[in-house]
């Protein structure tokens, strides 16, 4: 089954404790991205990657890092999480960076930083 | 002014009703447009692309009005299962890989 898998689905952590949210897709998609979704603000792109070893900032990259060492994986790293990073996070992938391809989203990771 | 704007709703309609949502965008160079559906606490899923000439998929019709810079989604014969948040997504021109999402319009279909 074609899917994007994120882990963990839920996470409560403390300020400053490094964490990684994993994202994996089995569709051989080139393009992957991370979003955060906050009430009243909608989905905002954090980082994206057009292929292995190619990453770029989205609209809200501050406080986040990503890596793309393999095509299927695109982890999101919070080196020193802060309470303002409490949010619902989605990973997405699509074939190519073209604007007319469907984006497939993971099931989301609800992160709380206390 | 936000780049992509939607009325958050909620739109509260009875089963069988026809309901329409608009989404306005500020960048006149925007090229690609989509409607996604998001159920509560779930991931967004593509509902339909929006083509220049308008397009229909069953009970759903999407239209683009470039002159007035908005896209619309029309749902006919609403079902209870149509209750969700509908997100519009806009890509600007120039090969931008950063889509802009609207905040979503909430639809509640009641018996």
């Amino acid at each position: 089954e074609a899917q994007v898998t994120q882990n963990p689905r839920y996470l409560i952590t403390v300020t400053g404790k490094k964490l990684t949210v994993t994202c994996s897709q089995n569709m051989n998609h080139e393009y992957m991205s991370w979003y955060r979704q906050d009430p009243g603000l909608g989905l905002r792109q954090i980082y994206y990657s057009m292929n292995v070893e190619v990453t770029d900032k989205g609209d809200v990259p501050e406080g986040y890092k990503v890596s793309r060492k393999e095509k299927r994986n695109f982890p999101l790293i919070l080196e020193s999480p802060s309470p303002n990073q409490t949010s619902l996070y989605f990973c997405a992938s699509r074939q190519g960076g073209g604007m007319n391809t469907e984006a497939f989203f993971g099931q989301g990771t609800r992160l709380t930083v206390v | 002014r936000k780049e992509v704007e939607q009325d958050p709703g909620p739109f509260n309609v009875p089963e069988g009703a026809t309901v329409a949502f608009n989404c306005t965008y500020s960048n006149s160079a925007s090229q690609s447009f989509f409607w996604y559906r998001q159920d509560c606490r779930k991931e967004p899923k593509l509902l339909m692309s929006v083509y220049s000439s308008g397009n229909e998929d069953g009970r759903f019709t999407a239209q683009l009005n470039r002159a007035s810079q908005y896209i619309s989604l029309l749902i006919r014969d609403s079902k209870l299962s149509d209750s969700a948040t509908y997100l519009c997504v806009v890509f600007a021109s120039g090969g931008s890989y950063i889509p802009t999402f609207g905040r979503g319009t909430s639809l509640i279909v009641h018996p």
Side-chain angles (χ1 to χ4, degrees):
Chain A
E1 180 191 352
Q3 59 185 4
V4 178
T5 304
Q6 293 178 229
N7 278 297
R9 295 285 312 281
Y10 301 90
L11 179 61
I12 301 174
T13 190
V14 296
T15 299
K17 184 177 181 183
K18 181 179 178 179
L19 67 91
T20 299
V21 184
T22 63
C23 174
S24 180
Q25 49 94 3
N26 63 0
M27 296 169 278
N28 201 36
H29 284 170
E30 296 167 354
Y31 183 83
M32 297 184 74
S33 53
W34 275 102
Y35 297 86
R36 60 178 290 172
Q37 187 172 35
D38 302 290
L41 294 177
L43 278 158
R44 294 177 292 168
Q45 194 171 57
I46 302 170
Y47 268 95
Y48 65 94
S49 168
M50 289 187 280
N51 216 323
V52 175
E53 302 292 3
V54 181
T55 64
D56 211 342
K57 297 177 180 178
D59 290 326
V60 288
E62 295 78 21
Y64 305 95
K65 285 174 58 176
V66 292
S67 69
R68 188 91 182 273
K69 293 185 171 57
E70 307 164 279
K71 199 170 188 178
R72 62 182 291 128
N73 295 323
F74 190 45
L76 179 69
I77 303 153
L78 285 71
E79 294 271 3
S80 182
S82 61
N84 65 11
Q85 292 179 297
T86 293
S87 187
L88 177 59
Y89 291 87
F90 288 105
C91 178
S93 76
R94 62 176 191 247
Q95 182 57 44
M99 293 182 280
N100 290 318
T101 56
E102 176 181 357
F104 293 85
F105 286 81
Q107 291 179 295
T109 296
R110 189 167 291 279
L111 172 66
T112 302
V113 183
V114 298
Chain B
R1 178 187 170 187
K2 197 175 189 304
E3 292 180 43
V4 176
E5 293 197 54
Q6 296 182 252
D7 181 343
F11 285 61
N12 213 313
V13 303
E15 271 187 291
T18 295
V19 61
F21 315 131
N22 282 347
C23 168
T24 60
Y25 59 93
S26 60
N27 187 341
S28 59
S30 297
Q31 286 192 342
S32 295
F33 310 88
F34 303 86
W35 283 103
Y36 276 72
R37 171 195 169 125
Q38 186 175 24
D39 294 302
C40 188
R41 297 178 180 276
K42 296 279 184 70
E43 71 274 23
K45 292 184 180 178
L46 179 66
L47 178 65
M48 57 197 304
S49 303
V50 185
Y51 301 127
S52 296
S53 55
N55 48 299
E56 190 174 305
D57 182 2
R59 297 182 293 108
F60 298 84
T61 300
Q63 296 208 309
L64 167 63
N65 186 317
R66 284 196 183 276
S68 301
Q69 295 182 204
Y70 72 88
I71 62 173
S72 63
L73 177 67
L74 179 79
I75 306 175
R76 289 181 299 278
D77 189 22
S78 298
K79 312 290 184 192
L80 295 177
S81 57
D82 292 335
S83 298
T85 296
Y86 292 84
L87 308 173
C88 75
V89 185
V90 176
F91 280 86
S93 64
S96 168
Y97 297 111
I98 303 179
T100 301
F101 282 79
R103 297 177 193 180
T105 296
S106 174
L107 171 65
I108 300 170
V109 182
H110 58 81

